[in-house]
Amino acid sequence: MEEMFEIEETLKKINSEVKKLKTYNDSIEVIEKSLREILNSYKKTLTKLDEYIKINNDLENQIKQLNLKLEKMNDNFFKTKRFLNDNIFEYSIIIVFLIFLIFEILK
């Protein structure tokens, strides 16, 4: 009888340990599922980040091109301004002459 009692106690202990292991296993499965979800979310985030980096690089290139165009326009403006400043005296003489000519024709 005592042996039966010991066997029963041992079986109860084994059952208890099996239940604990099952609980641990269930917990591990839940953790694995959570980790997979986190990994998938991380992958999606990386994909979005790659898209944003590409967009940013495209915008940087466009800004560089616009800056080059602006510099060229600025250079052209100052060249034209310099040209006009250098030749203002000649243009003034021509304008005065044209005004004088118009007055003479109108007389």
Side-chain angles (χ1 to χ4, degrees):
M1 192 62 129
E2 193 174 314
E3 288 177 6
M4 288 295 276
F5 181 74
E6 285 180 24
I7 291 175
E8 229 176 79
E9 286 298 311
T10 305
L11 282 174
K12 283 181 183 178
K13 287 180 182 178
I14 290 173
N15 268 340
S16 174
E17 290 299 315
V18 166
K19 284 181 182 177
K20 284 180 185 177
L21 286 174
K22 186 173 186 314
T23 303
Y24 291 150
N25 189 35
D26 290 345
S27 295
I28 288 173
E29 286 176 3
V30 168
I31 290 172
E32 284 177 341
K33 183 181 177 193
S34 296
L35 286 174
R36 276 193 297 275
E37 290 175 0
I38 290 171
L39 181 63
N40 287 336
S41 175
Y42 179 73
K43 286 178 181 178
K44 287 178 185 177
T45 302
L46 281 178
T47 301
K48 281 291 184 188
L49 184 62
D50 283 344
E51 289 175 18
Y52 290 142
I53 287 173
K54 184 183 180 303
I55 290 171
N56 185 49
N57 288 339
D58 290 345
L59 288 174
E60 282 181 356
N61 288 335
Q62 288 178 1
I63 288 172
K64 286 178 184 178
Q65 289 175 353
L66 289 173
N67 275 337
L68 289 174
K69 286 181 182 180
L70 183 60
E71 285 178 14
K72 185 176 179 181
M73 288 174 65
N74 196 27
D75 287 346
N76 287 338
F77 171 77
F78 282 111
K79 285 178 186 176
T80 303
K81 184 178 176 187
R82 211 172 313 118
F83 176 77
L84 288 175
N85 282 342
D86 290 346
N87 296 321
I88 193 123
F89 182 72
E90 286 103 16
Y91 289 126
S92 299
I93 292 174
I94 292 172
I95 291 172
V96 168
F97 178 75
L98 287 175
I99 292 173
F100 177 75
L101 188 64
I102 290 172
F103 279 126
E104 286 299 315
I105 291 175
L106 288 176
K107 280 185 178 181

